[in-house]
Amino acid sequence: RQLGGKIVTFVGGNASAEKSVPTVFIPASATVVADGPARGVQRLSAAATGTKKVLVARMRSTTHGQEPTPTINDLKERVFGMGISPVAVNFKSQSAACSENELIIEPGACVSGNTAPGCAEISDGVMNLDLDMDLSPGVDPSAVEYAAVVKLNALGLRDAATADYVMFLFPPGISPWIAYAYINGWSSFYSDTWGGSVSAHMHEVGHNFGLAHSGEFDEEYGDQSS
């Protein structure tokens, strides 16, 4: 079998797999031999190793008052394990766990001496990104995405020294998708409360790292492990 990027052989005993759990049952009589990485298995790319700075941007309207449901503190907790009541399972912790500590996520921040106007808006890797537009349900999400990127550039925050990757949160009712990201890109976008979902973070930023859907059998989205 192929597990975790390694070829795993069960010697003796009758191992079985339960697809619905998913779980592999290994009898006590079996000997497990791991030899990897497996040929053809997608390994961590260079983009998915080392220390990466992530900036989280809550898109909110200065003209109509709409904003995402997760607060700045919620996002500090769920993305970086910081904030008032840090949660043990967060994007930072799971990125380290899944990569065997080869990928370390740190909060985006301006380097010392950077006087860009947006630097003061960042708090432990999270910020409000104020847009001068209506963010009501039904607004074209591509127009919002474009405005957000323009504003981030205007604030001087679109540079690798500040953040390698940026996670944008839509207010409720705008994005028809749970979340999406650009493969080998730097940005990912989340529909409101999904911006606080660790599984969504892992999935979408994985696309930024160049990873495609792992799939399961003939279902592209069949593997829900991330």
Side-chain angles (χ1 to χ4, degrees):
R1 293 187 62 80
Q2 176 181 304
L3 298 174
K6 296 180 182 296
I7 294 296
V8 179
T9 304
F10 303 117
V11 181
N14 295 312
S16 62
E18 176 56 51
K19 177 177 181 288
S20 62
V21 179
T23 303
V24 176
F25 299 96
I26 306 174
S29 59
T31 300
V32 180
V33 179
D35 181 23
R39 294 181 181 177
V41 176
Q42 193 169 27
R43 301 291 288 166
L44 285 176
S45 66
T49 59
T51 299
K52 304 298 180 183
K53 295 170 70 174
V54 174
L55 178 64
V56 184
R58 300 174 71 251
M59 296 183 284
R60 66 179 188 176
S61 171
T62 58
T63 57
H64 291 71
Q66 303 99 341
E67 63 181 324
T69 302
T71 66
I72 283 183
N73 185 69
D74 291 336
L75 296 168
K76 289 181 183 180
E77 294 173 353
R78 298 170 191 175
V79 178
F80 304 112
M82 303 173 71
I84 297 172
S85 302
V87 294
V89 177
N90 54 72
F91 178 50
K92 176 182 171 72
S93 71
Q94 298 313 103
S95 295
C98 290
S99 66
E100 298 183 343
N101 293 314
E102 290 188 40
L103 173 63
I104 304 301
I105 299 297
E106 295 294 348
C110 292
V111 297
S112 178
N114 189 340
T115 59
C119 291
E121 303 298 323
I122 304 173
S123 175
D124 293 332
V126 186
M127 67 176 294
N128 288 318
L129 187 64
D130 292 331
L131 304 179
D132 299 328
M133 63 186 300
D134 183 10
L135 297 178
S136 298
V139 171
D140 182 2
S142 62
V144 178
E145 176 185 330
Y146 177 79
V149 173
V150 168
K151 183 61 179 286
L152 199 72
N153 276 292
L155 291 174
L157 300 179
R158 179 69 289 276
D159 65 280
T162 300
D164 298 287
Y165 302 98
V166 181
M167 302 163 62
F168 294 90
L169 273 70
F170 287 107
I174 294 179
S175 176
W177 306 283
I178 288 173
Y180 65 94
Y182 294 97
I183 293 181
N184 294 318
W186 56 270
S187 59
S188 56
F189 296 81
Y190 305 82
S191 180
D192 194 36
T193 55
W194 284 98
S197 167
V198 177
S199 64
H201 303 157
M202 299 292 289
H203 184 111
E204 301 306 338
V205 179
H207 286 319
N208 290 158
F209 292 154
L211 301 176
H213 294 140
S214 60
E216 184 171 295
F217 300 100
D218 59 348
E219 299 177 33
E220 182 181 2
Y221 289 91
D223 181 358
Q224 296 295 307
S225 60
S226 67

